[in-house]
C-alpha cells in the first residue's frame, strides 16, 4: 500500500461525510404551466434506480432560470433558430418552412425521438445531421460545419418544439441495438491520462462533488444547453468532447461513429425525461 | 470502486477558472474601489438607509450572478432615488453597473446579472435626490467548477 | 444584431407600476481575456441601456465589463397614459439595438 492509498482512506471518510449531497427534490414547471418530467423510472437494464435530470443538481438560482422561458438566455438562441427556419438559403430557393411549414406542428415531438435509425446512410442520425441532410439534398445549401452557422440555434429551435415530451429512443429499428452496444462500451471505457470513463463521474459518483461541481447523471435531454460558463448554447457533441478532453484523452470528431454511438446510448440512459431544450446549466 | 478522491483532485487541478476574465487576473485594489466610490459620492460618506441588495449566497458560476437592488422611496419629483451603483470588490475592475432612475420609474428597483471573478463582497451605493448616499454590501461565494469542460 | 427580448404587460391601468424585463444577445467581451497567441481580445461590450416612455427617460444603466453575456435588465415603470416604450442598447463600436413596445390603458 503506497502513501496515496493511505491518504485516500483517510480522505474517503471526509468525502462520504461532507461531500455527498443529494440532488434537490423539486418540480420543474416552465412558466408555471408546463410540468416537466425530471425524474423517471429507469428503462430495463439501466444501472441506476431512477433517471434524473441534471436540473436537480443545480443551485436554486440556476434552476429558476430554466423555469422561466423569458429569463432563460437559451431562448435567445431558440428565437434565432426560428428566424433561420424561415430564411431561404441555397440553390432551390427554399427555407425549412417551405417544406415543413409551421415547426410548432410539423416538428412537435420530433426532438424526443432522435437520434433514430437512418436507413439511407445505414447509421443513426441526430437533429444536426438531419438538418444538414435537408440543406444539402433539398435546399441546395451547404451543410453546416460542426457548431457553426445556424447549427446550434436551429437544432435548439427544432428540439424546443418537443419541450416536455418524454425522450424515447427506438432501439428496434435497423442496427440501433448494435450502436447502443458500442455506445455502452465507450461509456464504461476509461480513457485519458486521468483514466476516467463517463461512468466514473456520472454513474458511480453522481450526487457527489468534483471540487465544487455537483456531478449529475450526465443526461442529455436538455441539449443544446445554455451554459452560464460560456454564456452560450453548447451542443451535445461539444460537451462530449469537453468531457473527454478533461480526462486528458484525444477526443473523437463531432458526429463521428464513436460519438454518434455515445449519443444513442446516453439518450437511452435518460429515457423518460422531458426534453428540456434549452436547459440551463452552470 | 477505483475512482478516488485523489483522482478527482487531480482532475480538477486542470480546471479553468472564470473564463470571461481570462487567466491573468489582476484584482482591483481597495484604492480602485474607494476611487470609484469617491467619484460617485463626491467624497460624501454613505450612511445606512432603506437600500436592499439581493445576491445569492453561493454562485454556482461566477459568469452569471443575479444581482438586484431596491431602495424604498416615494419616487416623486422632490424625493426620489437618482441612481444606484454596484461595485465588486474582488473583480479586475470594481465597476459593475449604475442604474439611473426617474420619477417615472415608480419604484427604485432593478436587477441584472454580473460576472464575479472569485468569492468577494458586492457593494451597492444609492444616491438620493436630496444628496444623501446609502451603502450596503453582501458577500457572494463563487464556486469553482470541477472540470474544465 | 439579434432581436432583443422584451417582456412587458400589454394592458395596464393608469397609475400602475409595471415590471419590464429585457434580454439581448451580446457576447460582452470584457477586454480582459487573451486569445491563444496571448494577445488581449479587445473589449466590446454594451455600455449603455436606456428605456424611455413617450420621449421621457424612465430608466437607464451604465454598463461595465462585469455585466454578464447576453445582458438582462429588470426594472419598474409607472404608467399614467397610453404610449410607447423605447429601448436602446449601445455597444463600444457604436452599434445600436433599438426596440419599441406599445402599451394601451385598460
Amino acid at each position: 500500500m503506497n502513501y496515496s492509498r493511505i491518504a485516500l482512506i483517510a480522505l474517503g471518510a471526509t468525502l462520504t461525510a461532507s461531500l455527498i449531497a443529494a440532488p434537490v427534490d423539486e418540480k420543474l414547471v416552465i412558466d408555471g404551466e408546463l410540468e416537466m418530467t425530471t425524474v423517471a423510472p429507469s428503462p430495463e437494464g439501466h444501472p441506476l434506480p431512477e433517471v434524473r435530470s441534471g436540473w436537480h443538481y443545480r443551485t436554486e438560482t440556476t434552476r429558476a432560470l430554466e423555469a422561466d422561458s423569458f429569463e432563460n438566455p437559451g431562448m435567445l438562441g431558440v428565437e434565432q433558430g426560428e428566424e433561420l427556419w424561415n430564411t431561404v438559403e441555397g440553390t432551390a430557393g427554399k427555407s425549412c418552412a417551405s417544406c415543413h411549414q409551421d415547426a410548432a406542428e410539423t416538428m412537435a415531438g420530433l426532438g424526443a425521438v432522435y437520434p433514430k435509425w437512418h436507413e439511407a446512410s445505414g447509421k443513426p442520425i441526430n437533429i444536426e445531421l438531419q438538418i444538414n441532410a435537408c440543406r444539402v439534398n433539398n435546399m441546395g445549401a451547404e451543410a453546416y460545419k460542426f457548431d457553426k452557422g445556424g447549427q446550434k440555434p436551429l437544432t435548439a429551435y427544432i428540439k424546443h418544439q418537443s419541450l416536455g415530451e418524454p425522450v424515447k429512443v427506438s432501439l428496434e429499428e435497423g442496427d440501433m441495438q448494435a450502436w447502443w452496444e458500442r455506445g455502452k462500451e465507450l461509456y464504461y471505457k476509461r480513457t485519458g491520462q486521468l483514466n476516467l470513463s463517463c461512468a466514473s463521474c456520472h454513474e458511480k459518483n453522481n450526487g457527489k462533488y468534483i471540487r465544487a461541481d455537483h456531478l449529475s447523471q450526465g443526461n442529455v435531454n436538455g441539449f443544446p444547453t445554455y451554459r452560464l460558463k460560456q454564456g452560450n448554447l453548447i451542443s451535445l457533441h461539444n460537451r462530449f468532447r469537453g468531457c473527454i478532453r478533461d480526462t486528458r484523452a484525444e477526443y473523437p470528431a463531432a458526429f463521428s461513429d464513436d460519438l454518434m454511438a455515445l449519443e444513442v446510448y446516453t439518450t437511452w440512459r435518460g429515457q423518460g425525461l422531458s426534453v428540456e431544450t434549452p436547459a440551463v446549466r452552470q | 470502486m477505483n475512482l478516488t478522491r485523489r483522482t478527482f483532485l487531480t482532475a480538477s487541478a486542470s480546471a479553468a477558472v472564470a473564463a470571461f476574465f481570462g487567466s491573468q487576473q489582476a484584482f482591483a485594489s481597495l484604492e480602485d474601489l474607494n476611487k470609484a466610490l469617491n467619484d460617485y459620492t463626491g467624497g460624501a460618506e454613505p450612511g445606512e438607509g432603506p437600500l436592499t441588495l439581493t445576491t445569492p449566497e453561493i454562485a454556482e458560476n461566477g459568469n452569471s450572478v443575479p444581482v438586484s437592488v431596491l431602495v424604498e422611496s416615494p419616487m416623486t419629483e422632490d424625493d426620489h432615488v437618482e441612481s444606484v451603483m454596484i461595485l465588486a470588490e474582488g473583480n479586475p475592475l470594481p465597476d459593475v453597473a449604475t442604474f439611473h432612475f426617474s420619477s417615472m420609474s415608480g419604484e427604485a428597483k432593478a436587477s441584472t446579472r454580473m460576472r464575479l471573478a472569485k468569492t468577494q463582497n458586492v457593494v451597492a451605493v444609492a444616491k438620493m435626490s436630496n444628496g444623501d448616499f446609502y451603502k450596503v454590501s453582501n458577500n457572494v461565494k463563487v464556486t469553482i467548477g470541477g472540470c474544465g469542460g | 444584431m439579434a432581436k432583443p427580448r422584451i417582456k412587458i404587460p400589454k394592458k395596464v391601468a393608469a397609475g400602475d407600476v409595471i415590471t419590464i424585463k429585457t434580454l439581448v444577445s451580446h457576447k460582452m467581451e470584457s477586454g480582459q481575456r487573451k486569445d491563444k497567441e496571448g494577445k488581449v481580445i479587445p473589449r466590446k461590450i454594451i455600455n449603455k441601456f436606456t428605456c424611455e416612455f413617450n420621449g421621457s427617460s424612465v430608466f437607464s444603466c451604465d454598463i461595465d465589463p462585469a455585466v454578464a453575456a447576453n445582458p438582462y435588465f429588470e426594472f419598474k415603470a409607472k404608467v399614467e397614459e397610453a404610449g410607447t416604450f423605447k429601448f436602446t442598447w449601445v455597444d463600444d463600436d457604436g452599434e445600436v439595438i433599438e426596440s419599441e413596445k406599445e402599451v394601451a390603458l385598460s
Side-chain angles (χ1 to χ4, degrees):
Chain A
M1 181 182 279
N2 60 27
Y3 167 74
S4 65
R5 203 79 183 128
I6 299 166
L8 282 171
I9 293 162
L11 285 168
T14 339
L15 180 74
T16 334
S18 64
L19 293 182
I20 294 174
V24 296
D25 214 6
E26 284 186 29
K27 279 214 172 305
L28 172 58
V29 184
I30 309 282
D31 296 338
E33 286 170 5
L34 181 60
E35 198 165 310
M36 308 287 275
T37 303
T38 54
V39 182
S42 295
E44 204 189 318
H46 197 293
L48 296 169
E50 62 181 12
V51 176
R52 259 179 191 268
S53 160
W55 182 81
H56 288 280
Y57 296 76
R58 306 280 52 95
T59 60
E60 194 183 346
T61 315
T62 311
R63 294 200 307 273
L65 277 180
E66 188 176 332
D68 184 320
S69 69
F70 184 84
E71 301 204 357
N72 180 346
M75 290 301 289
L76 284 164
V78 169
E79 285 188 352
Q80 197 194 336
E82 183 176 10
E83 274 176 38
L84 291 163
W85 178 265
N86 293 302
T87 304
V88 172
E89 270 191 84
T91 53
K94 288 181 185 171
S95 68
C96 305
S98 307
C99 296
H100 301 290
Q101 292 90 31
D102 184 1
E105 283 178 27
T106 59
M107 297 292 120
L110 208 82
V113 297
Y114 273 70
K116 62 188 241 182
W117 186 247
H118 188 241
E119 197 57 53
S121 62
K123 290 179 180 185
I125 190 168
N126 61 9
I127 298 282
E128 286 92 335
L129 294 179
Q130 183 68 66
I131 292 170
N132 276 349
C134 252
R135 287 176 64 83
V136 172
N137 301 331
N138 304 327
M139 293 168 69
E142 277 188 30
Y144 287 133
K145 292 198 170 67
F146 172 54
D147 273 356
K148 299 285 192 237
Q151 187 169 74
K152 282 191 287 176
L154 195 52
T155 302
Y157 175 63
I158 292 170
K159 289 198 96 165
H160 184 67
Q161 307 310 316
S162 306
L163 185 70
E165 293 292 318
V167 171
K168 171 92 182 74
V169 199
S170 177
L171 298 178
E172 293 76 37
E173 289 172 50
D175 289 334
M176 284 293 273
Q177 189 62 44
W179 284 77
W180 180 92
E181 297 284 354
R182 179 173 175 173
K184 182 179 178 184
E185 203 181 308
L186 287 165
Y187 192 90
Y188 287 98
K189 186 178 165 191
R190 288 172 175 271
T191 60
Q193 291 174 325
L194 298 182
N195 202 30
L196 294 171
S197 70
C198 307
S200 308
C201 288
H202 297 292
E203 180 175 310
K204 297 194 181 73
N205 283 288
N206 95 80
K208 290 185 197 161
Y209 279 88
I210 177 165
R211 205 138 84 160
D213 225 345
H214 199 189
L215 287 170
S216 74
Q217 291 182 359
N219 286 316
V220 302
N221 55 312
F223 282 91
T225 288
Y226 189 88
R227 291 193 84 211
L228 300 175
K229 177 175 176 165
Q230 286 93 350
N232 212 337
L233 285 177
I234 297 300
S235 67
L236 177 58
H237 285 237
N238 182 7
R239 195 71 198 90
F240 280 156
R241 283 153 52 106
C243 257
I244 297 167
R245 180 200 60 214
D246 290 345
T247 70
R248 301 187 189 165
E250 296 271 345
Y251 49 79
F255 313 132
S256 60
D257 288 354
D258 275 352
L259 291 192
M260 287 306 296
L262 198 56
E263 178 168 353
V264 169
Y265 181 70
T266 52
T267 306
W268 172 83
R269 280 180 77 106
Q271 189 148 290
L273 296 176
S274 293
V275 172
E276 288 180 36
T277 312
V280 182
R281 301 291 184 258
Q282 80 289 15
Chain B
M1 189 184 78
N2 290 324
L3 191 79
T4 58
R5 181 178 163 87
R6 181 168 174 273
T7 321
F8 267 86
L9 291 173
T10 321
S12 55
S14 65
V17 178
F20 276 95
F21 285 123
S23 50
Q24 301 282 316
Q25 295 186 14
F27 294 111
S29 64
L30 201 60
E31 271 171 50
D32 292 336
L33 184 87
N34 286 336
K35 185 179 180 307
L37 241 172
N38 266 322
D39 288 351
Y40 184 63
T41 62
E45 192 60 36
E48 282 186 18
L51 163 64
T52 312
L53 170 67
T54 308
T55 48
E57 204 174 314
I58 296 174
E60 177 164 46
N61 191 296
N63 283 324
S64 184
V65 183
V67 54
S68 180
V69 296
L70 167 68
V71 194
E72 280 170 40
S73 157
M75 294 306 277
T76 58
E77 277 294 325
D78 298 338
D79 183 4
H80 61 269
V81 185
E82 285 191 0
S83 57
V84 176
M85 182 168 69
I86 299 167
L87 298 165
E89 277 183 17
N91 272 2
L93 299 166
D95 306 81
V96 176
T98 305
F99 300 130
H100 299 273
F101 301 99
S102 73
S103 56
M104 286 175 72
S105 302
E107 275 177 49
K109 186 179 180 194
S111 312
T112 188
R113 297 168 187 161
M114 64 184 166
R115 294 167 173 162
L116 295 179
K118 58 175 184 178
T119 294
Q120 58 182 289
N121 289 326
V122 175
V123 180
V125 189
K127 180 182 189 179
M128 308 302 286
S129 56
N130 66 0
D132 283 352
F133 288 91
Y134 307 136
K135 183 181 152 191
V136 67
S137 87
N138 284 352
N139 187 260
V140 182
K141 290 180 181 61
V142 176
T143 61
I144 291 164
C147 350
Chain C
M1 287 195 261
K3 216 171 56 180
R5 306 188 82 209
I6 297 164
K7 191 175 186 181
I8 186 166
K10 280 198 180 65
K11 290 228 169 211
V12 296
D16 276 1
V17 175
I18 61 169
T19 299
I20 299 176
K21 297 179 181 185
T22 67
L23 184 65
V24 67
S25 176
H26 199 286
K27 198 172 177 193
M28 299 292 281
E29 190 60 59
S30 68
Q32 287 146 9
R33 293 201 305 165
K34 288 181 180 173
D35 64 15
K36 281 177 188 150
E37 281 83 47
K39 282 186 287 194
V40 172
I41 305 170
R43 176 184 132 153
K44 182 174 162 64
I45 65 164
I46 288 175
N47 57 52
K48 186 81 185 174
F49 166 71
T50 55
C51 168
E52 290 177 354
F53 184 68
N54 292 344
S56 302
S57 176
V58 175
F59 172 83
S60 68
C61 185
D62 305 324
I63 303 163
D64 293 288
V67 167
N70 303 322
Y72 169 87
F73 295 105
E74 180 179 334
F75 53 93
K76 300 282 185 178
K78 189 172 186 178
V79 180
E80 301 282 10
E81 55 181 351
T84 307
F85 279 100
K86 185 182 174 188
F87 305 89
T88 312
W89 294 258
V90 183
D91 87 355
D92 287 341
D93 293 351
E95 282 182 57
V96 177
I97 307 170
E98 275 182 335
S99 186
E100 292 190 346
K101 291 275 174 193
E102 293 193 6
V103 284
L105 292 188
S106 57

